[in-house]
Amino acid sequence: MAVDSPLSSQLGPPACERDAKALHFIEETTSHADSVQDRVLTEILTRNSQTEYLTRFKLNGATDRETFKSKLPIITYEDLQPEIHRIANGDRSAILSAHPISEFLTSSGTSAGERKLMPTIKEELDRRRLLYSLLMPVMNLYVPGLERGKGLYFLFVKSETRTPGGLLARPVLTSYYKSDHFKTRPYDPYNVYTSPNEAILCPDSFQSMYAQMLCGLLQRQQVLRVGAVFASGLLRAIRFLQLNWPQLTQDIETGALNPKLTDPSLREYMDKILKPNPELAECVRHECSKDNWEGIIARIWQNTKYLDVIVTGAMAQYIPTLDYYSGGLPLACTMYASSECYFGLNLNPMCKPSQVSYTIMPNMAYFEFLPHEPDSFGFPRASPPKLVDLVDVEVGKEYELVITTYAGLYRYRVGDILRVTGFHNSAPQFHFVRRKNVLLSIDSDKTDEAELQKAVENASRLLREFNTSVVEYTSYADTRTIPGHYVIYWELLGKESANSPTDEVLKQCCLAMEESLNSVYRQGRVADNSIGPLEIRVVKNGTFEELMDYAISRGASINQYKVPRCVNFTPIMELLDSRVVSSHFSPASPHWTPERRR
């Protein structure tokens, strides 16, 4: 349904005229989702018609969906690697995109342990900024008065490198924070942060976190919302406060900045705003010195109305901990995005985390959906499934997301499994179910079954001299610690009881596993401090037989039973933990540098 005037919106009465324009844009775009998708595909195919990739499939300038779908294959990252490597090595011809590739956005690791390199073009920043500009107008419908305060957001840049051909390769948010779109963004009273650019852009994670926390404490009365990109990031900030509040309160009390902050631009900024404030210091000290940290966020930042963090997918495991530290503040999930493309936003951001649905914005890319049937047991289909267009998905069904982007990804399988929950106008709304094939995730890391298997095999080689082997194993992501860490349960078979592997050897097994995991995991361990040391818990002999017996008692077929390679069901966790005979942690950090891609 078309919208009559810029000031009307089905979503609700806008807070101001600028919000009205944003809400009108959402209504217009979602009301004509199919025609917008048609335009997007036509634009992508027209501008890139002479690229090597499209020429290879003999589109011959066609821009209609039927020809596009009949001639272009559905692909994965592995299919594109030859083209990606050519671009990374300096080939500037129009391989995937007629517009020059401006940089690569790094995504989660491949099965070979290498970061994915997603090509992007400069104008993609405009599309991202457009989606960001829609978030606060929607939020203002649910939480009035946000223009009268600030957001305490913990935002960080991560390491970047250059490809052999000279292109930057870095995470998508680092690219955005370092862009002029962010650094010189126009003043918006609804979107003011306590963290200055100098702190956000500081490459030293300790100095950046310290300055952002200090700024948040200095402006605590003005803070109306607290957030980070992922739930795990906000919990790391709380843990940082637990460890560093004595020094932070001393800085506030004396007006003298911690000498560990050596970044010149950061010190210059902080020297301007840091003045002695014994009263504030005593207030923070009073709360932080208590043994009980339940509700600490609401106690220090008393005017906080909600937390702005992603708690869908793997991040859902952090919800109980967030509730504990926030005193049950609402959790707002505002948008859905990835390195490949920004997808959409949550039009009901104050809903319960379990009810979060994202409305796909049809102007961001051309979207198709591969029906996902989780009960197919891996048997090949008689014929490949037919992909469904954006407006033709069915409520209640699950799909894998497939995208075609302006930057040169064509019919690319993102790997996200989504469930359709409804429609806003003619644009579907999706609940994020999970990443395809991902077993373990703490932060932005994603470890699949093949990678875990390889890591166990590599580590178990250290047991050979003890005539010991790993009989069975499983795993889980332990998020009760901050930061969270991987736990691997091992059942061992030793042929010589007098020659069992020592604690030191099992610690080295932990490290060997970490060395085998992908660069995203290792960066989280080494540079970002977002993942704790890997832990191996050795369980009694016969534990995995008990696990099978338990599964069969609950209805599993003995003929089809397979040991789960990742567990999170409480009774199973309790069974495993009750059988632990020893626990061992990685004694050091694995090797990682920005240049080490493998």
Side-chain angles (χ1 to χ4, degrees):
M1 186 179 79
V3 179
D4 296 325
S5 78
L7 295 178
S8 68
S9 169
Q10 292 180 37
L11 293 168
C16 61
E17 187 171 348
R18 180 172 49 184
D19 280 10
K21 292 178 180 177
L23 299 179
H24 173 71
F25 175 81
I26 294 171
E27 296 293 357
E28 277 287 301
T29 307
T30 58
S31 294
H32 303 99
D34 199 47
S35 59
V36 171
Q37 282 281 277
D38 212 37
R39 173 179 58 78
V40 166
L41 183 62
T42 298
E43 288 175 356
I44 292 172
L45 297 181
T46 300
R47 69 155 62 171
N48 294 328
S49 62
Q50 300 305 308
T51 59
E52 181 184 313
Y53 189 85
L54 291 184
T55 302
R56 183 186 309 163
F57 294 104
K58 298 181 171 55
L59 272 182
N60 299 323
T63 61
D64 62 286
R65 297 188 204 195
E66 187 175 343
T67 305
F68 168 74
K69 293 185 178 191
S70 66
K71 296 202 170 188
L72 262 71
I74 304 162
I75 60 168
T76 64
Y77 183 79
E78 284 67 29
D79 298 319
L80 269 189
Q81 278 189 303
E83 287 79 11
I84 297 292
H85 286 156
R86 283 174 56 196
I87 298 168
N89 289 330
D91 191 332
R92 296 293 179 263
S93 55
I95 299 172
L96 296 174
S97 168
H99 287 216
I101 301 300
S102 57
E103 62 180 316
F104 285 109
L105 303 177
T106 56
S107 187
S108 56
T110 65
S111 57
E114 182 180 352
R115 274 187 179 275
K116 293 177 183 175
L117 295 177
M118 293 298 167
T120 191
I121 56 180
K122 283 186 176 179
E123 74 170 46
E124 279 301 304
L125 278 167
D126 295 326
R127 259 180 284 280
R128 289 179 219 139
R129 181 172 64 175
L130 171 62
L131 198 61
Y132 282 126
S133 74
L134 304 176
L135 302 181
M136 287 308 292
V138 172
M139 185 59 72
N140 290 337
L141 297 172
Y142 296 88
V143 186
L146 291 175
E147 80 281 6
R148 294 194 288 271
K150 298 183 178 183
L152 168 53
Y153 283 78
F154 296 96
L155 308 175
F156 303 93
V157 295
K158 294 191 176 184
S159 300
E160 57 187 43
T161 187
R162 287 191 180 272
T163 67
L167 286 176
L168 273 173
R170 54 191 179 181
V172 62
L173 290 173
T174 297
S175 169
Y176 178 67
Y177 298 149
K178 288 192 170 185
S179 72
D180 288 337
H181 287 69
F182 181 81
K183 291 192 289 188
T184 60
R185 60 194 183 280
Y187 173 77
D188 181 349
Y190 286 97
N191 215 359
V192 179
Y193 302 141
T194 57
S195 297
N197 287 356
E198 290 85 350
I200 295 170
L201 297 174
C202 177
D204 184 286
S205 59
F206 174 86
Q207 295 187 57
S208 176
M209 177 74 86
Y210 193 98
Q212 293 190 60
M213 184 63 75
L214 184 54
C215 288
L217 293 171
L218 292 172
Q219 303 169 74
R220 76 181 193 99
Q221 296 290 357
Q222 300 172 62
V223 170
L224 298 184
R225 50 205 167 97
V226 176
V229 178
F230 294 117
S232 55
L234 182 53
L235 290 174
R236 284 202 311 279
I238 298 304
R239 179 60 178 162
F240 186 91
L241 180 60
Q242 282 184 309
L243 295 173
N244 293 281
W245 68 260
Q247 181 64 52
L248 287 159
T249 52
Q250 182 178 323
D251 292 8
I252 296 169
E253 189 167 50
T254 62
L257 186 63
N258 185 342
K260 289 183 179 178
L261 270 67
T262 57
D263 183 277
S265 62
L266 197 51
R267 286 202 72 91
E268 182 181 355
Y269 177 86
M270 296 305 300
D271 286 341
K272 290 177 184 176
I273 68 166
L274 185 59
K275 310 297 178 190
N277 190 337
E279 185 179 347
L280 174 59
E282 179 53 36
C283 176
V284 175
R285 187 180 293 115
H286 174 73
E287 294 298 342
C288 291
S289 61
K290 295 177 181 176
D291 290 336
N292 183 2
W293 270 52
E294 185 173 0
I296 191 68
I297 295 175
R299 280 157 41 192
I300 291 180
W301 295 282
Q302 296 174 339
N303 298 317
T304 304
K305 297 177 182 292
Y306 64 92
L307 304 184
D308 189 347
V309 284
I310 294 173
V311 289
T312 51
M315 290 296 121
Q317 59 195 342
Y318 295 103
I319 292 172
T321 314
L322 283 174
D323 286 341
Y324 174 81
Y325 284 119
S326 73
L329 284 169
L331 303 172
C333 293
T334 56
M335 68 182 293
Y336 171 36
S338 75
S339 302
E340 295 91 337
C341 178
Y342 279 29
F343 304 120
L345 62 160
N346 182 1
L347 297 181
N348 183 19
M350 300 301 281
C351 67
K352 293 179 180 179
S354 60
Q355 298 173 344
V356 169
S357 290
Y358 299 103
T359 301
I360 298 290
M361 292 300 291
N363 60 307
M364 301 304 293
Y366 180 69
F367 298 103
E368 296 175 271
F369 298 87
L370 181 64
H372 178 67
E373 297 177 11
D375 296 324
S376 59
F377 298 108
F379 293 119
R381 296 170 180 268
S383 59
K386 184 179 179 181
L387 268 66
V388 178
D389 281 330
L390 181 69
V391 300
D392 295 328
V393 295
E394 296 181 43
V395 173
K397 290 192 175 181
E398 292 185 3
Y399 300 88
E400 182 182 348
L401 182 58
V402 178
I403 58 172
T404 297
T405 70
Y406 287 89
L409 297 178
Y410 305 94
R411 309 199 85 190
Y412 178 89
R413 296 174 69 165
V414 174
D416 289 359
I417 305 299
L418 310 175
R419 183 184 306 114
V420 187
T421 59
F423 284 80
H424 182 78
N425 297 320
S426 59
Q429 299 178 307
F430 293 92
H431 175 72
F432 181 93
V433 178
R434 60 181 173 85
R435 284 284 297 176
K436 192 176 181 182
N437 300 328
V438 170
L439 280 186
L440 294 167
S441 179
I442 294 291
D443 190 50
S444 54
D445 56 299
K446 299 176 181 71
T447 298
D448 64 21
E449 185 169 340
E451 192 173 8
L452 182 63
Q453 173 74 28
K454 177 186 171 187
V456 170
E457 288 173 356
N458 289 345
S460 63
R461 290 177 187 147
L462 299 176
L463 304 177
R464 288 177 183 171
E465 64 178 288
F466 301 91
N467 278 329
T468 299
S469 59
V470 178
V471 177
E472 274 298 358
Y473 69 91
T474 190
S475 65
Y476 92 104
D478 187 350
T479 56
R480 293 170 297 183
T481 60
I482 300 175
H485 70 290
Y486 287 9
V487 173
I488 316 298
Y489 294 94
W490 275 9
E491 184 175 326
L492 302 178
L493 176 63
K495 296 180 180 177
E496 303 172 24
S497 58
N499 188 30
S500 297
T502 63
D503 172 61
E504 185 56 39
V505 169
L506 288 164
K507 286 180 177 177
Q508 291 303 316
C509 288
C510 294
L511 183 56
M513 285 195 67
E514 293 197 302
E515 290 286 6
S516 301
L517 297 175
N518 64 50
S519 62
V520 182
Y521 173 91
R522 287 182 280 110
Q523 179 177 343
R525 281 278 284 119
V526 178
D528 304 335
N529 298 313
S530 60
I531 304 172
L534 182 143
E535 177 185 6
I536 290 176
R537 295 179 188 171
V538 179
V539 297
K540 293 177 182 177
N541 287 2
T543 296
F544 281 85
E545 282 190 31
E546 290 185 60
L547 202 62
M548 181 178 71
D549 291 341
Y550 178 79
I552 292 170
S553 74
R554 289 177 56 86
S557 164
I558 193 169
N559 295 318
Q560 293 181 309
Y561 175 78
K562 292 197 310 182
V563 173
R565 292 307 179 206
C566 183
V567 295
N568 54 23
F569 184 48
T570 300
I572 291 178
M573 309 289 303
E574 291 174 347
L575 188 156
L576 287 167
D577 283 332
S578 71
R579 304 297 189 270
V580 171
V581 295
S582 64
S583 182
H584 315 270
F585 287 89
S586 184
S589 296
H591 293 99
W592 178 84
T593 64
E595 290 74 29
R596 183 185 172 190
R597 304 184 51 80
R598 290 184 183 274

